[in-house]
Amino acid sequence: MRGQFGKPPVWFWIVGVVLLLWACMGLFAFYSQVLDSAAIAALPDYDRRMLTSLPMWLKAVYAIAVLSATLGGVLLLARSALARQAYLVSLLSVIVQFGYTLGATDLIAVKGLVAAAGFPVFIIAMGVVELWFARLATGR
């Protein structure tokens, strides 16, 4: 992805920084939902029970999703083709994470389809956008 004189265009940097900030928000969400006991204790009863009852392997998948998305953002800004692989790992991890959460728990029954699946669908869509943008950027 090169503009004038071999430099990436300004919009590449803007999108890259936005995607990296999005990944950093994912890191904060992971910390809040898995590691911050005060934040977990402050959640409504159902949400707290849900988060604390999730299996450890799923929490590991969540960590892989946010860490690989953050790595993808850094690699993208470093203009490395490895950003695509990092974003692919993140997207696949997110699909596994939300597939389990929505399919193997009572979340949809308790919260309703839109409330339970709305944000996860948005996160998956963002993963697709990240992967698409990395392919676009490394393809040029």
Side-chain angles (χ1 to χ4, degrees), residues 83-85 87-88 91 126-136:
R84 290 182 358 201
Q85 287 80 6
Y87 280 137
L88 179 60
L91 177 59
M126 283 298 296
V128 170
V129 167
E130 290 168 335
L131 185 57
W132 168 80
F133 187 74
R135 285 185 184 197
L136 174 73

Side-chain angles (χ1 to χ4, degrees), residues 9 11-12 19 21 26 30 44-45 58 62 64 77 79 85 87 96 98 101-102 106 123 126 131-132 136 139:
W11 60 264
F12 167 82
L19 292 179
L21 290 173
F30 174 80
D45 188 48
L58 189 66
Y62 187 3
I64 291 167
L77 291 174
R79 301 188 312 179
Q85 287 80 6
Y87 280 137
V96 169
F98 289 125
T101 304
L102 296 173
D106 63 348
I123 292 170
M126 283 298 296
L131 185 57
W132 168 80
L136 174 73

Side-chain angles (χ1 to χ4, degrees), residues 12-13 73-80:
F12 167 82
W13 296 110
V74 170
L75 290 169
L76 182 70
L77 291 174
R79 301 188 312 179
S80 171

Side-chain angles (χ1 to χ4, degrees), residues 11-34:
W11 60 264
F12 167 82
W13 296 110
I14 292 169
V15 173
V17 167
V18 167
L19 292 179
L20 182 57
L21 290 173
W22 170 252
C24 289
M25 289 172 37
L27 287 173
F28 179 74
F30 174 80
Y31 172 78
S32 298
Q33 294 173 3
V34 176

Side-chain angles (χ1 to χ4, degrees), residues 45-90:
D45 188 48
Y46 174 81
D47 295 336
R48 184 178 57 257
R49 282 185 288 121
M50 171 73 153
L51 285 176
T52 57
S53 70
L54 292 174
M56 188 56 72
W57 68 264
L58 189 66
K59 294 174 185 177
V61 169
Y62 187 3
I64 291 167
V66 297
L67 290 172
S68 58
T70 305
L71 179 61
V74 170
L75 290 169
L76 182 70
L77 291 174
R79 301 188 312 179
S80 171
L82 294 174
R84 290 182 358 201
Q85 287 80 6
Y87 280 137
L88 179 60
V89 168
S90 178

